[in-house]
Amino acid sequence: MAIKTTVEIPDELFVAAKREAASQRTTLRTLVERGLRSELRGTRPPKAPVRIKWVTVDGGLPAGLDVADRAAMIERLARR
């Protein structure tokens, strides 16, 4: 069984899809169906890995600061 539906797509995407369907000697319907099936299966081409640029700076704890003493840390921040 098939269900008819209406989908709005941008003109340039429609033209490109019709061209692609014609080049594959198939219908727009078949092209759309294949695309949906591919999306739902999760067989999209893998995305390029995200490259993280690590930034490091010199630093450290201020002299005399005890990170185990929460009250002292809050007091020190309040003085700034």
Side-chain angles (χ1 to χ4, degrees):
M1 183 172 136
I3 297 173
K4 285 190 173 192
T5 188
T6 301
V7 178
E8 290 185 30
I9 60 172
D11 291 343
E12 66 277 1
L13 181 58
F14 176 77
V15 170
K18 286 291 278 187
R19 251 190 217 123
E20 181 63 24
S23 75
Q24 293 182 22
R25 296 186 185 268
T26 190
T27 63
L28 180 60
R29 174 185 172 161
T30 300
L31 190 69
V32 170
E33 188 176 328
R34 274 195 235 143
L36 283 172
R37 288 185 192 283
S38 177
E39 279 290 317
L40 295 173
R41 269 194 317 266
T43 57
R44 291 174 275 170
K47 292 182 179 178
V50 175
R51 297 192 50 91
I52 299 173
K53 180 182 176 193
W54 295 99
V55 177
T56 58
V57 295
D58 292 332
L61 294 173
L65 179 63
D66 179 11
V67 293
D69 186 353
R70 187 180 185 107
M73 288 177 52
I74 292 171
E75 183 181 322
R76 186 179 186 108
L77 288 170
R79 279 187 267 147
R80 287 191 161 186

